[in-house]
Amino acid sequence: MSDAEIVYVERPGKPKLWLGVPWALCAALLIWSCWDYWTEHHEIPLDAVLVLTPLFFGIASIPGLVSLSKRRYNAITLTSRTLRVGRHTLPVADITLHPPATGRRPRLLGGGYDVPVGMQAVEFGGRGGEHYLVAVMNPQAFLAALTQVIAEA
C-alpha cells in the first residue's frame, strides 16, 4: 500500500438514522396495534402479524437502503496520489480541473446511475480527454482540496 496522505474524505448518507428511526416507528406501530387489539379481543391475530410485520419493515427499510447506496457509491477519499469515488479510482496525475468541451455526456464516478438528491455534481477532466462527474455534498471544499492536490502533484 502507499503512504499517501488523506486530503479530503466525504461519506454521504446516514444509514443508522434512516434505518433506525423508521424501524423504531414501525415496531412502535406494531406493538401499539397488537396491544390495542389484545385489549379489545384478548387475542393476537398471528396471521395479520405474520403478513404485516415483513411488509411494514420492508417499506420502512427503503430510506435506509437509499442511504446505504449513497454511502457505497458516493464515498470520496482524496489522497495526495489518488481520487477514489465509490468503486472507481483515478490517479491525481491524470486529473485536470477543466473538463473537455465535447458533446459527450460525462462519466459519473462511483458506480451510481445519477447524482443523488441532496448532492451536487462537480465536473472535471482527465489528461487523455476524459470527462468526469462526481456527486459531492460540499463542492467548494472538494474543489479546493482537488485543486491543492493537483497543484502539488
Side-chain angles (χ1 to χ4, degrees), residues 60-134:
S61 297
I62 292 172
L65 294 174
V66 170
S67 186
L68 284 170
S69 174
K70 285 173 79 172
R71 175 69 53 103
R72 166 71 177 103
Y73 293 114
N74 301 112
I76 299 171
T77 304
L78 176 64
T79 68
S80 57
R81 295 184 185 160
T82 60
L83 169 64
R84 181 168 176 83
V85 181
R87 61 183 175 191
H88 296 118
T89 302
L90 295 174
V92 170
D94 292 347
I95 297 173
T96 64
L97 290 177
H98 307 292
T102 63
R104 296 183 322 183
R105 184 179 174 145
R107 178 181 172 202
L108 180 64
L109 294 178
Y113 292 106
D114 204 356
V115 178
V117 174
M119 299 182 83
Q120 296 178 7
V122 172
E123 293 185 41
F124 56 89
R127 300 238 186 258
E130 298 90 356
H131 191 181
Y132 298 114
L133 189 69
V134 175

Side-chain angles (χ1 to χ4, degrees), residues 127-148:
R127 300 238 186 258
E130 298 90 356
H131 191 181
Y132 298 114
L133 189 69
V134 175
V136 297
M137 298 292 292
N138 189 346
Q140 292 81 13
F142 173 73
L143 281 173
L146 189 60
T147 303
Q148 172 192 351

Side-chain angles (χ1 to χ4, degrees), residues 11 14 17 19 23 32 53 58 70 80 86 90 114-115 145 148:
R11 301 285 182 259
K14 296 179 173 92
L17 172 71
L19 280 172
W23 281 10
W32 174 78
T53 299
K70 285 173 79 172
S80 57
L90 295 174
D114 204 356
V115 178
Q148 172 192 351

